[in-house]
Amino acid sequence: MEKNTCSTTTDGPPATQSNQRVTATVERNYSASDCIYMDYNATTPVDTEVIQTVTEAMQEAWGNPSSSYTPGRKAKELIDWSRENVAQMVGGRSEDIIFTSGGTEANNLVFHTAVKYYWDHQRQLAQNSGSKEIDWTAKPLPHIITSNVEHDSVQLVIDNLTLEEKAKATVLPVSKVTGCIEADDVMAAVRPTTCLVSVMLANNETGVLMPIAEICRRVKALNQQSTGTPRILLHTDAAQAVGKLRVDVQDLGVDYLTIVGHKFYGPRIGALYVRGPGTSSPVYPMFFGGGQERKFRPGTENTPMIAGLGKAAELVVRKLEVYASHMQEVRDYLEEKLLTAFGKNRLHFNSHFKGSDRLPNTCNMSILGPNLQGRKVLLHCRRLLASVGAACHSDKGSRPSHILLNSGIPYEVAENALRLSVGRTTSKKDVDAIIEDLKQAVNEIEECAAQVLQ
């Protein structure tokens, strides 16, 4: 029998995130190519058309996009083409797209902007009132509203801002019934100093969709009624939603929307949609340099990766309905097979919330029983590559996901959780295989436990 290793990670391809890896070495006849990946919410493989576009850009558009000679002009044309594709994917205008290194930078840029915007508003009020000497330390800090199920690239920014006394924050609990933040709670949390509401569009662990359009509609109505207070800016991190369901910034009503390439078969860069950057919506750069991206995000553009992002966006625009339909069909089949294999009494779907919609590809579930903690089950799987939660929580050891706990999942259920997220090429045959893998893993664990008791 061949000795082989399959690794399950909390984010990223199994072979590339060794510091976040749970690894099992088992005796089996399967090769590494027989392992079945079901962690597409963590990251996706790069589409072959995207790879081709990136390669061609490296070969033909290697010039500086600010240069006038042919390789530079080609680079500039590719960047413009990509910007248009990304804008079309989310229903915006090309001038509303700012390329970033990824979702984390995009989210940080929004929070940096909100705080700067608040203080600019305060300075303008002071100037209009004729005040000359102002004790800025006596002024109230800007206030931010978010939820308790956000990605760490939002939550840790807020934690840092509050720790350094640069802002105050209200972190609202999601409903234990719906798994969603409630628009009424958002409105009740608004203060005269509130400058930003930031709520993710889709949760990366449960897949639950948040009521962003309703929140934006109600906050905008409040903005129109308010005088003398800063406008409340509206942001959503759409990392998990883009490429899985239709995302339209006009329907949502947001000022800012975060886009992450490696979540929809693109390269590991990102973009930030800004509704009228510098005009309708403020943007304050975090970096200063050569003036690229209209000075909002300077630095010589990473043309090949931007081109790859543009191609990935183009594929979403052309094929989203096919992608989403396939993923939902396979995900539903997966849940049916799980119920057949383990029964209603032994299975809990942590991604099923009454009255809430969810991503078409996400199944978060727990196989109930002692010794069936998610990490332990994955260690005993021979083919399944999946995760127990998000990468940003991989340093929490064996503790259950706080996202699930905050969503109302009991501790003993949450510690058994597995997040299974399917992709564009996941098949029902793959599902059948991982069901058998899970069954043998559970049997193995329970037989070992029984032997210990004897």
Side-chain angles (χ1 to χ4, degrees):
M1 296 180 72
E2 179 184 357
K3 192 172 185 179
N4 196 15
T5 301
C6 282
S7 306
T8 58
T9 72
T10 52
D11 200 3
T16 61
Q17 297 286 335
S18 59
N19 63 322
Q20 298 169 353
R21 183 177 299 168
V22 179
T23 304
T25 302
V26 294
E27 297 285 346
R28 60 184 179 276
N29 290 318
Y30 299 115
S31 67
S33 62
D34 288 321
C35 291
I36 296 170
Y37 185 69
M38 283 201 177
D39 205 14
Y40 289 89
N41 280 10
T43 198
T44 55
V46 182
D47 188 278
T48 53
E49 291 189 46
V50 173
I51 294 173
Q52 182 180 352
T53 299
V54 170
T55 302
E56 291 174 355
M58 287 180 169
Q59 293 171 337
E60 301 173 11
W62 49 265
N64 190 312
S66 299
S67 302
S68 59
Y69 40 73
T70 299
R73 290 199 307 272
K74 284 187 176 180
K76 180 65 165 60
E77 289 168 3
L78 261 183
I79 291 170
D80 291 344
W81 170 81
S82 296
R83 201 185 306 278
E84 182 61 41
N85 286 347
V86 173
Q88 187 178 355
M89 179 177 65
V90 297
R93 306 172 303 167
S94 61
E95 56 264 37
D96 295 332
I97 301 300
I98 299 171
F99 293 117
T100 66
S101 62
T104 294
E105 183 190 335
N107 287 341
N108 274 262
L109 180 57
V110 171
F111 283 85
H112 170 80
T113 287
V115 170
K116 290 279 192 180
Y117 154 78
Y118 172 85
W119 287 116
D120 263 10
H121 183 270
Q122 294 298 316
R123 291 186 187 91
Q124 188 63 50
L125 287 178
Q127 182 178 336
N128 292 344
S129 67
S131 301
K132 293 183 179 180
E133 293 187 8
I134 301 170
D135 182 7
W136 292 106
T137 61
K139 289 285 185 180
L141 295 174
H143 175 242
I144 296 165
I145 299 172
T146 189
S147 82
N148 68 345
V149 295
E150 298 295 317
H151 188 271
D152 272 8
S153 61
V154 165
Q155 186 57 58
L156 293 182
V157 178
I158 292 174
D159 289 349
N160 187 64
L161 288 171
T162 55
L163 180 66
E164 295 186 353
E165 297 185 345
K166 294 179 179 177
K168 292 185 178 296
T170 299
V171 180
L172 296 172
V174 296
S175 165
K176 303 296 176 65
V177 176
T178 65
C180 286
I181 193 171
E182 302 289 344
D184 285 346
D185 291 342
V186 173
M187 300 311 296
V190 171
R191 306 175 185 175
T193 55
T194 302
C195 62
L196 177 68
V197 173
S198 176
V199 177
M200 63 184 4
L201 183 52
N203 187 265
N204 50 320
E205 293 193 31
T206 64
V208 168
L209 306 184
M210 303 294 170
I212 302 303
E214 181 186 359
I215 292 170
C216 290
R217 176 179 57 79
R218 294 179 64 176
V219 170
K220 284 184 173 181
L222 183 63
N223 279 338
Q224 291 175 352
Q225 299 168 9
S226 301
T227 56
T229 58
R231 169 183 152 209
I232 302 172
L233 304 172
L234 297 158
H235 168 244
T236 190
D237 181 344
Q240 288 296 336
V242 172
K244 298 169 189 167
L245 49 82
R246 180 176 174 270
V247 175
D248 190 303
V249 292
Q250 309 308 328
D251 293 343
L252 294 173
V254 291
D255 299 307
Y256 309 92
L257 182 140
T258 296
I259 299 161
V260 180
H262 74 95
K263 303 295 187 182
F264 57 98
Y265 294 77
R268 286 187 176 159
I269 67 163
L272 180 66
Y273 161 83
V274 182
R275 187 182 299 274
T279 54
S280 299
S281 302
V283 184
Y284 293 81
M286 293 191 296
F287 311 127
F288 298 89
Q292 293 85 355
E293 292 299 287
R294 291 151 293 167
K295 297 184 179 180
F296 298 131
R297 206 286 186 180
T300 304
E301 299 91 337
N302 189 347
T303 305
M305 296 300 105
I306 290 174
L309 187 68
K311 173 54 73 171
E314 182 189 68
L315 292 173
V316 170
V317 171
R318 285 198 283 118
K319 301 181 180 182
L320 178 61
E321 289 186 11
V322 174
Y323 294 153
S325 176
H326 171 77
M327 287 187 284
Q328 183 163 335
E329 181 181 353
V330 174
R331 192 274 313 276
D332 291 347
Y333 179 76
L334 167 64
E335 295 188 347
E336 291 171 9
K337 298 296 285 187
L338 285 166
L339 280 170
T340 301
F342 298 104
K344 288 193 298 184
N345 294 331
R346 293 205 66 193
L347 198 68
H348 186 274
F349 288 116
N350 307 316
S351 47
H352 290 191
F353 289 88
K354 185 178 180 180
S356 293
D357 293 326
R358 58 181 168 135
L359 293 171
N361 79 318
T362 304
C363 169
N364 194 308
M365 62 86 182
S366 296
I367 303 169
L368 304 179
N371 302 311
L372 295 180
Q373 292 82 9
R375 284 178 173 82
K376 183 178 291 186
V377 171
L378 289 176
L379 282 169
H380 285 264
C381 284
R382 287 162 165 75
R383 302 186 68 183
L384 173 63
L385 306 180
S387 69
V388 297
C392 55
H393 309 140
S394 62
D395 61 346
K396 303 300 190 296
S398 60
R399 283 174 289 172
S401 159
H402 80 274
I403 298 295
L404 295 183
L405 296 176
N406 288 344
S407 299
I409 305 300
Y411 188 97
E412 66 276 9
V413 176
E415 66 180 351
N416 287 19
L418 295 175
R419 182 184 67 177
L420 305 176
S421 47
V422 306
R424 296 173 185 174
T425 60
T426 309
S427 68
K428 291 181 179 180
K429 182 179 178 181
D430 292 332
V431 170
D432 292 337
I434 70 106
I435 293 295
E436 292 304 312
D437 204 17
L438 285 168
K439 285 166 63 177
Q440 72 80 24
V442 170
N443 289 338
E444 199 172 281
I445 293 168
E446 292 182 333
E447 286 175 4
C448 288
Q451 290 173 9
V452 170
L453 293 174
Q454 290 177 354

